[in-house]
Amino acid sequence: MINLSPVAARSPSGVAVRVPAPYAARMTVIDLGRVGPAGDNSVGASRPGPLRRSPRRRWLVTVVAVCCGLAVTGSARPDPRGLTPLWDVPFTLDANSYQLAGDGIVVLDRPTGRLTAHDARTGAVRWSAQADDADGLAGVRDGVLLIRTGVTVTNKVVPEGSPFAREFTRNTTAVDAATGRTLWRQPGETVTVVDDHALLLEWDENGERARRIRLVRLRDGGTIWSRDGGGAVSLATDMTSGVRAERVLAVTVRGRAEVIAMTDGSVVTSGTLPRPGVARSEDSWSVTLHGGQLYQDRTVRGRTTITAYEIDTLRQLWSLEQPAGGSFGCGPVVCVSDGESISGHDRATGARLWRLSAVAGVYPLTGGLLLTDQENGARHTVLEATTGSPLGELGRGLPVWDSRGHLTYLIAGTRQPPGRTSVSSVDPASAEVVLRGTVASAQSCRTEGDLLTCVTEDNRLAVTDLG
């Protein structure tokens, strides 16, 4: 058995610089948080609306939690290039967060509000700065790092229900990712970033109604447009990967909807959706934009109604009702979950194109879908999106995504050797899986370019060169 454990040399700064052990090319024994697009809530990737998180997102988080408990041996063919551990620093998921920013990695220590930027390949500290009341990193674009500050939690009791907590962000701080210099700080949380502009939503004191919606420049925070929030309880932009968000949808508690142009803040159209008010804690509603269409999910007394609308006119396209579940974007189709199965529906008509049972999750891919089964949520299949036909098996492991929402790798715990995490590259188009090597046992991983960043079981942020 080849020992792949690297030798660690501790630098004066506290960064453990990794000296690679013998290359993994000779490996004969084939040896996991939320693994998703980059950042705490990367503004460059898909992001939920600022209000109520949909049942689908809670369901997907559950799937990931199940996947994290896997321990399997790898079955992909090995790649002789192997992996090269680079450096690591202390890191815990509860107290820290990090963001890849160009050729650097910025780490936030929440308890102290200290930001530290490291060279992505060497771990050398480039700068350190104080970010008071910082709670998380909202993402990075064009060298500007956005930070959630002034996070507030309020408590509420829904009629006929139990108390629940509502968390929202009061302010956003922008920092130059190259120097750590504060560029601006403004009221409102970041909804999304489009080109070199950030869309900010300012909530009222309880975080329940929108006071103001603004589009600002990333570099200096200058206002492009600003408008009254109109008491909206939900704000949505198009969540389709690779699609530029052209519209903002604001909906009040009584269902009054305004479709706003992202470019200038003007109202494209307005209307009234079926009243989304929630009467009991188990009732819910959500609005999402996918592929230029609006989808409203309403669950009342155990039954869910899914309605699709044309975004620029709010003209109803179709509606369907089922016992429970909800909808979410699946590339060229819209997926619907009913708690027991997932089905793909035509966006224009709502007609069901395919249905799959014993499914834990479906994720959009470029040119297809990734299906995760219910056998520990671990086995993955690439599907053709419009027919649901299988295109190839990826086997077991937990998907790792880059900041653009592309599936890049699978990771899995190992039985032999024990206590490691295997890393395999994935080509979704051909369903080819290639074992690259192993890293220290990981809780979660992300990739960007040729770098893999993982939070390890022994609470380190470890950076590995993928070759």
Side-chain angles (χ1 to χ4, degrees):
M1 182 182 301
I2 303 296
N3 182 4
L4 300 181
S5 299
V7 178
R10 186 69 55 183
S11 69
S13 65
V15 176
V17 181
R18 296 289 183 173
V19 181
Y23 225 52
R26 296 187 297 277
M27 181 172 63
T28 57
V29 179
I30 299 178
D31 284 326
L32 309 157
R34 192 172 88 189
V35 178
D40 297 345
N41 278 305
S42 173
V43 294
S46 60
R47 171 170 160 75
L51 189 62
R52 176 182 303 273
R53 294 187 187 274
S54 70
R56 178 180 70 87
R57 286 188 59 84
R58 294 194 295 271
W59 168 62
L60 294 182
V61 170
T62 302
V63 172
V64 171
V66 172
C67 290
C68 289
L70 297 176
V72 301
T73 54
S75 59
R77 68 176 180 84
D79 185 326
R81 291 175 297 173
L83 306 175
T84 306
L86 297 176
W87 57 275
D88 62 72
V89 291
F91 188 99
T92 60
L93 288 172
D94 290 339
N96 307 117
S97 57
Y98 74 96
Q99 178 72 56
L100 278 78
D103 61 352
I105 296 177
V106 180
V107 177
L108 169 65
D109 183 66
R110 290 191 186 96
T112 64
R114 174 61 56 175
L115 286 169
T116 305
H118 300 266
D119 182 280
R121 302 202 67 83
T122 68
V125 175
R126 290 178 169 175
W127 54 262
S128 183
Q130 192 66 28
D132 293 333
D133 71 353
D135 186 77
L137 305 178
V140 65
R141 176 74 65 84
D142 296 337
V144 177
L145 180 70
L146 297 177
I147 305 169
R148 295 194 298 272
T149 53
V151 172
T152 301
V153 178
T154 59
N155 296 304
K156 184 178 180 180
V157 177
V158 175
E160 300 183 32
S162 57
F164 71 94
R166 157 83 169 113
E167 181 180 292
F168 64 98
T169 302
R170 292 195 180 278
N171 304 299
T172 294
T173 299
V175 170
D176 188 318
T179 66
R181 179 174 62 91
T182 298
L183 300 174
W184 49 267
R185 177 185 171 101
Q186 296 195 28
E189 68 180 26
T190 303
V191 177
T192 191
V193 169
V194 178
D195 301 329
D196 58 351
H197 300 146
L199 182 68
L200 303 180
L201 170 60
E202 183 179 352
W203 295 102
D204 64 12
E205 287 301 314
N206 296 319
E208 297 178 348
R209 304 287 189 273
R211 280 179 173 171
R212 184 150 295 277
I213 307 168
R214 287 176 294 121
L215 189 72
V216 303
R217 290 189 296 269
L218 271 180
R219 290 303 305 183
D220 61 12
T223 299
I224 304 300
W225 55 261
S226 177
R227 59 178 294 117
D228 189 279
V233 296
S234 181
L235 206 71
T237 60
D238 202 317
M239 299 171 64
T240 307
S241 178
V243 173
R244 185 181 186 276
E246 302 279 359
R247 300 288 184 259
V248 181
L249 175 70
V251 185
T252 70
V253 72
R254 295 187 178 278
R256 181 64 180 174
E258 286 188 336
V259 179
I260 302 166
M262 185 72 76
T263 53
D264 59 10
S266 62
V267 176
V268 176
T269 191
S270 61
T272 301
L273 303 178
R275 182 185 175 96
V278 177
R280 305 181 306 161
S281 58
E282 57 265 40
D283 295 344
S284 65
W285 70 278
S286 65
V287 288
T288 55
L289 301 183
H290 288 286
Q293 288 184 188
L294 160 65
Y295 298 92
Q296 182 191 39
D297 296 355
R298 290 182 298 132
T299 299
V300 179
R301 301 189 182 278
R303 294 199 65 80
T304 298
T305 301
I306 300 169
T307 308
Y309 300 86
E310 187 180 77
I311 186 59
D312 280 349
T313 64
L314 293 183
R315 179 177 65 90
Q316 181 175 320
L317 299 174
W318 51 266
S319 184
L320 62 86
E321 186 177 332
Q322 60 184 34
S327 65
F328 54 99
C330 281
V333 301
V334 58
C335 284
V336 173
S337 167
D338 61 9
E340 297 181 353
S341 67
I342 294 178
S343 52
H345 294 250
D346 183 274
R347 286 186 175 277
T349 66
R352 191 171 73 188
L353 304 175
W354 50 264
R355 180 178 182 272
L356 300 169
S357 58
V359 175
V362 174
Y363 307 81
L365 297 174
T366 302
L369 301 174
L370 178 68
L371 177 146
T372 301
D373 68 12
Q374 287 185 349
E375 184 186 350
N376 295 324
R379 185 167 297 279
H380 305 286
T381 304
V382 178
L383 305 178
E384 203 284 321
T386 57
T387 64
S389 302
L391 299 177
E393 296 284 343
L394 300 184
R396 295 182 179 273
L398 185 64
V400 179
W401 311 82
D402 66 15
S403 62
R404 297 172 296 172
H406 295 163
L407 173 64
T408 53
Y409 291 87
L410 290 176
I411 58 175
T414 65
R415 291 196 184 102
Q416 293 296 329
R420 300 284 291 176
T421 293
S422 65
V423 180
S424 300
S425 61
V426 176
D427 181 353
S430 63
E432 182 181 27
V433 179
V434 178
L435 179 69
R436 298 298 308 280
T438 69
V439 295
S441 182
Q443 301 180 60
S444 65
C445 292
R446 308 173 193 161
T447 68
E448 199 65 41
D450 59 359
L451 293 180
L452 175 74
T453 57
C454 295
V455 179
T456 66
E457 292 288 351
D458 61 349
N459 295 322
R460 310 284 297 183
L461 175 62
V463 182
T464 300
D465 185 353
L466 294 166

